[in-house]
Amino acid sequence: MQKIHQASGDGIGRSPQRPDGALKVRGEFAYSSDLWHEDMLWGTALRSPHPRADILSVDVSAALALPGVYAVLTHEDVPGAKFYGLEIADQPALAIDRVRYQGEPVALVAADHPETARRAAERIRVEYRVLEPITTEEQCLDPERYGYVHEPHEYKARARGNVCHEQRVVSGRGVTDEVRALADVVVSGEYQVGMQDQAFLGPESGLAVPAEDGGVDLYVATQWLHVDRQQIAPVLGLPEEKVRLTLAGVGGAFGGREDLSMQIHACLLALRTGRPVKIVYSRDESFFGHVHRHPARMRYEHGATRDGRLVFADCRIVLDGGAYASTSPAVAGNAASLGHGPYVIPNVRMHAVALYSNNPPCGAMRGFGAVQAAFGYESQMDRLAAALGMDPVELRQLNALAQGDFMPTGQQIDAPAPVAELLRRAKDRPLPPPLDPSDPRNLPGALSNSTHGEGVVRGVGYSVGIKNVGFSEGFDDYSTARVRLEVIGGEPVAMVHTAAAEVGQGGVTVHAQIARTELGVQRVTIHPANTEIGSAGSTSASRQTYMTGGAVKLAAEAVREVLFDRGRRRYGWTHRDLVLADGQVASASAGVLVPLADLLGDEPVEQTRVHRHRPTSALDRETGQGFGHVQYSFCANRAVVDVDVELGLVKLVELTAVQDVGRALNPQAVVGQIHGGCTQAIGLAVMEEIVLADGKVRNASFTDYLIPTVLDTPPMPVELLELPDPNAPYGLRGVGEAPTVSATPSIVAAIRQATGKALNRIPVRPEHLTDTS
């Protein structure tokens, strides 16, 4: 009997090369900014210089008079709905009578050259009545004194004052005087998180092409094709079937492409002019053209017994959502339901609030509400360990969640939750060698020759975090996939078609691996993502491998069953152990039965399937109780830093990550995701922040907004645990966000140990380390 093999080295569990990898390394990959049409025009937007102002008049005559200008549009030229939004339709396509943040689009221009479009936009005359911006928590929460970002009649009962959304969680007995009396030690702290930018390298861009049927074809870099279309079509006054989207090459996303940017504007201009219109943001415009991570102010209080058992947690998280809602309701829900951390706490009182303000809009960014909270609760764990005289890792392990425990929302964790084990492995890894000051490259600020080792102190810090996977709280989260198997050139070839946005996470690789594994073929083609097929949901929430990977698996299994039925009818097979392997149909008991190409012949098999995860439910608004999340992911980190305590310079020596990934479908890609997540956490810890002054952005460029480079990124050892989740396809667990949640607190903890500073705000700046007050 011939031995049966599953698909060879490029199936799941292996690490084949990305199909687009070589092109990207060579600079030959076509991104959305490379799109071209021979008769296209260039579009641009005029943006408000004010965070808050009434629009008194707009005069476009001088812009229209400029040779080469084909159209100038204001809100009066919007043919359909005036507003759009991911969760709440509160954002105008073009400002109507008021601007609510610096950079809000007021008018559009289409011209035959990008410089002509820019000069025409500068000729538009807008008369503003400038108003005092509402930018602080105090101002937002006192609208009677400071005013409303949106007038009360605009809320339509969705918000209260300048509060966009709030979520409470109460478990056990809450936090009462009687509960407080059970704690021998109580620690409290106030913490702040600055506004972080996704800082993707590919600016917002796309090409809209008017169609003969009166519709439009849009080629764009985005994270969610179908929800883009749902927002675009009503503004254009078109049915959804006349708005067709195709994914263009994406140069990074990290949540910043979940909201619309230039999509509506390009389509409006294309339909008005009858010509294709391309829009590419400049770098500074990109800072104004997408949402950012919510800055946060948090207050935490924890109580514990003398032996370190947590008794209660009392928490308040205030998130600045900026001018429009975007995903603020979901971010606040995540912050509330995950804001206690991966710990067993009998009594919890949590209040998370997302505010409207005249600061830039904030929305999705890697970690989605859990990042801010993790800095708060992990800082508290270190503070509590110091008050108890305990090792900070042992305190965390003592209170760590495990399978079978309950979250404060009442949801039982029914999959592996190896929190204590992750911490143990992080702590047990060998430490890097001691500092060698003889080599200046090892020193903080070495490239500037600012120190020679004097005043340099080493610190080690630990942290662990929790993040949900997939969309939560009753959202109908699903993904669609079509798999076609046919003979091409005498060989069976699979084609996988989904609408999943490939933003660098590696879906194009993993989906092909799944098809190879389930169909026993090597040649797999990934069809361009577009709206010709049903939605694949957003490439966010660490969900695409789980959701679209699950849909590809279902569709491939359906193709396989059709083939087996065909073989049973044609050849009379009675085997119950049929498999597809190495391009053949085989039986584990009888060996190879027929080449797959012969069974297919000239009759391709195509199947479409929809994958849904198990249902979740909305959290009760007052108590936070409910089965809110489909899956949890956990990561632990150990950071080692050298700090020049006299100059305030930090060098990250090593950042270790230990993460349970359920099952690594592509181990190399998984490690890459963890490295990327940790690198963004480094940025938040010590350098990345959008600096605001009265609602105005002060550093809208990569000259002044600093992101980690290879020189800032230390060795990052990664250890993977593979404890399968029985509810997930292949037992996998979403991996992309958990390290961003957990790594930042470990870096700050290490700096604290080196300096003795409280460090209650991130990013940590040099002046925070040298301040002697």
Side-chain angles (χ1 to χ4, degrees):
M1 182 173 66
Q2 184 175 345
K3 185 178 180 181
I4 305 302
H5 298 278
Q6 275 302 101
S8 63
D10 287 346
I12 63 170
R14 302 299 181 93
S15 299
Q17 180 176 302
R18 288 180 60 110
D20 56 358
L23 292 173
K24 288 178 175 177
V25 170
R26 292 196 299 261
E28 298 171 0
F29 183 80
Y31 290 97
S32 57
S33 55
D34 297 314
L35 292 165
W36 192 266
H37 198 288
E38 59 183 10
D39 61 345
M40 73 183 185
L41 302 173
W42 295 80
T44 194
L46 175 71
R47 297 178 179 273
S48 167
H50 308 294
R52 185 180 183 220
D54 291 331
I55 298 175
L56 304 181
S57 65
V58 181
D59 182 357
V60 302
S61 57
L64 282 169
L66 189 68
V69 171
Y70 282 73
V72 181
L73 307 181
T74 68
H75 75 90
E76 295 178 347
D77 301 297
V78 174
K82 299 288 190 179
F83 295 87
Y84 69 93
L86 267 176
E87 297 189 30
I88 300 172
D90 60 355
Q91 188 159 0
L94 290 169
I96 300 173
D97 54 4
R98 175 171 290 184
V99 291
R100 295 180 174 86
Y101 71 98
Q102 182 197 22
E104 181 157 9
V106 176
L108 304 174
V109 175
D112 58 8
H113 190 279
E115 182 62 20
T116 303
R118 185 191 65 79
R119 289 191 289 115
E122 290 178 346
R123 290 188 172 202
I124 299 172
R125 295 290 172 256
V126 183
E127 184 181 358
Y128 295 100
R129 180 191 293 118
V130 179
L131 305 172
E132 187 71 22
I134 301 165
T135 60
T136 68
E137 178 184 346
E138 176 190 5
Q139 292 172 328
C140 292
L141 294 177
D142 190 358
E144 295 303 318
R145 180 178 179 184
Y146 296 100
Y148 295 86
V149 177
H150 301 261
E151 292 304 316
H153 68 273
E154 297 173 319
Y155 285 106
K156 300 179 181 177
R158 288 186 295 246
R160 176 178 59 80
N162 288 318
V163 174
C164 176
H165 187 83
E166 56 188 324
Q167 177 66 59
R168 300 176 189 272
V169 176
V170 180
S171 68
R173 290 186 281 169
V175 181
T176 63
D177 291 341
E178 292 78 8
V179 168
R180 290 179 185 277
L182 300 175
D184 299 310
V185 176
V186 176
V187 297
S188 61
E190 295 187 2
Y191 306 96
Q192 294 182 47
V193 178
M195 182 184 288
Q196 188 180 19
D197 188 66
Q198 294 85 354
F200 39 72
L201 298 185
E204 291 83 348
S205 51
L207 177 68
V209 182
E212 292 183 358
D213 65 354
V216 63
D217 294 285
L218 178 63
Y219 304 85
V220 66
T222 181
Q223 289 180 240
W224 193 349
L225 291 164
H226 284 76
V227 85
D228 280 9
R229 183 174 68 173
Q230 289 171 11
Q231 296 173 85
I232 296 167
V235 177
L236 302 181
L238 293 174
E240 285 190 9
E241 60 268 21
K242 286 195 174 184
V243 180
R244 297 166 288 268
L245 273 70
T246 299
L247 185 71
V250 182
F254 315 113
R257 300 188 200 268
E258 269 204 273
D259 293 77
L260 297 182
S261 57
M262 45 62 61
Q263 288 94 321
I264 288 175
H265 298 164
C267 292
L268 286 171
L269 291 169
L271 291 172
R272 170 58 70 93
T273 62
R275 296 268 295 272
V277 174
K278 177 178 179 177
I279 294 179
V280 180
Y281 284 1
S282 63
R283 178 55 58 192
D284 61 341
E285 187 176 17
S286 181
F287 274 91
F288 296 105
H290 64 254
V291 298
H292 314 287
R293 187 187 300 286
H294 291 73
R297 300 176 69 92
M298 304 174 288
R299 188 183 187 282
Y300 274 86
E301 186 177 46
H302 284 81
T305 60
R306 265 185 204 88
D307 63 357
R309 293 284 180 182
L310 290 171
V311 174
F312 72 84
D314 195 4
C315 326
R316 177 177 170 82
I317 300 174
V318 179
L319 302 157
D320 184 350
Y324 297 106
S326 182
T327 57
S328 285
V331 171
N334 262 19
S337 60
L338 304 172
H340 64 286
Y343 303 111
V344 176
I345 311 177
N347 306 286
V348 170
R349 179 170 63 185
M350 164 67 76
H351 185 199
V353 181
L355 301 175
Y356 281 117
S357 74
N358 291 122
N359 290 318
C362 292
M365 186 175 174
R366 195 175 197 161
F368 203 81
V371 166
Q372 296 91 327
F375 176 60
Y377 63 69
E378 286 299 88
S379 297
Q380 283 288 101
M381 290 302 103
D382 285 338
R383 183 167 288 185
L384 185 58
L388 290 165
M390 289 185 66
D391 178 273
V393 173
E394 291 178 3
L395 174 67
R396 289 172 167 86
Q397 290 176 310
L398 179 67
N399 295 284
L401 282 170
Q403 187 169 358
D405 287 332
F406 288 86
M407 300 284 285
T409 58
Q411 179 174 344
Q412 187 174 29
I413 297 180
D414 56 2
V419 178
E421 176 67 7
L422 296 175
L423 286 160
R424 183 190 69 77
R425 291 178 180 238
K427 187 176 182 181
D428 287 351
R429 291 189 64 88
L431 285 163
L435 172 66
D436 177 10
S438 66
D439 186 345
R441 292 174 299 179
N442 297 330
L443 297 172
L447 294 179
S448 59
N449 195 31
S450 54
T451 182
H452 298 284
E454 62 275 14
V456 176
V457 182
R458 175 156 292 186
V460 180
Y462 295 89
S463 64
V464 65
I466 181 172
K467 177 67 178 65
N468 65 309
V469 173
F471 292 154
S472 304
E473 295 193 46
F475 188 90
D476 184 17
D477 193 6
Y478 68 91
S479 185
T480 311
R482 180 177 300 131
V483 174
R484 178 182 178 88
L485 191 62
E486 60 187 322
V487 177
I488 300 176
E491 183 180 353
V493 179
M495 175 176 284
V496 177
H497 186 188
T498 78
E502 172 57 56
V503 301
Q505 84 281 10
V508 291
T509 311
V510 168
H511 299 161
Q513 289 179 259
I514 292 171
R516 292 188 189 104
T517 298
E518 299 300 330
L519 298 175
V521 300
Q522 279 304 299
R523 292 180 59 191
V524 180
T525 301
I526 302 297
H527 191 286
N530 56 32
T531 51
E532 292 178 4
I533 190 170
S535 177
S538 175
T539 300
S540 63
S542 304
R543 63 176 291 283
Q544 278 294 7
T545 301
Y546 190 123
M547 297 303 301
T548 304
V552 173
K553 182 175 185 289
L554 289 177
E557 289 171 341
V559 167
R560 190 175 63 209
E561 288 307 310
V562 170
L563 287 168
F564 289 165
D565 286 344
R566 180 183 295 179
R568 293 183 185 106
R569 292 193 306 271
R570 184 179 298 174
Y571 302 112
W573 294 337
T574 59
H575 309 84
R576 300 193 176 196
D577 53 1
L578 295 173
V579 296
L580 298 180
D582 292 337
Q584 301 173 103
V585 184
S587 161
S589 57
V592 174
L593 300 175
V594 66
L596 180 55
D598 290 355
L599 182 58
L600 278 165
D602 57 359
E603 299 179 69
V605 177
E606 181 177 287
Q607 294 288 305
T608 302
R609 290 294 184 271
V610 175
H611 176 230
R612 283 180 165 85
H613 60 60
R614 55 183 176 163
T616 59
S617 62
L619 301 179
D620 182 89
R621 290 290 292 275
E622 293 302 318
T623 67
Q625 299 302 293
F627 191 94
H629 300 303
V630 64
Q631 188 188 61
Y632 296 98
S633 60
F634 306 93
C635 182
N637 294 91
R638 184 188 68 195
V640 181
V641 301
D642 286 336
V643 183
D644 188 315
V645 296
E646 297 174 357
L647 299 177
L649 300 177
V650 176
K651 178 179 176 60
L652 197 52
V653 177
E654 184 181 88
L655 182 58
T656 296
V658 186
Q659 186 167 337
D660 173 24
V661 301
R663 184 177 181 187
L665 301 197
N666 185 315
Q668 190 174 50
V670 167
V671 171
Q673 283 287 297
I674 295 172
H675 281 167
C678 287
T679 302
Q680 287 191 302
I682 293 169
L684 181 59
V686 294
M687 62 180 68
E688 289 191 47
E689 182 178 9
I690 293 178
V691 179
L692 300 174
D694 296 325
K696 293 188 175 182
V697 177
R698 301 294 301 274
N699 59 334
S701 74
F702 283 168
T703 299
D704 300 308
Y705 183 90
L706 303 180
I707 59 176
T709 70
V710 67
L711 296 175
D712 304 298
T713 306
M716 290 190 286
V718 173
E719 186 173 347
L720 304 181
L721 271 68
E722 295 189 74
L723 305 177
D725 181 344
N727 302 296
Y730 301 114
L732 68 88
R733 198 183 298 271
V735 302
E737 294 174 285
T740 307
V741 174
S742 59
T744 294
S746 70
I747 298 166
V748 181
I751 301 172
R752 282 197 196 104
Q753 191 197 58
T755 64
K757 300 286 187 180
L759 303 181
N760 292 343
R761 189 188 192 283
I762 50 175
V764 177
R765 298 174 179 169
E767 60 265 30
H768 300 156
L769 303 179
T770 57
D771 182 16
T772 58
S773 60

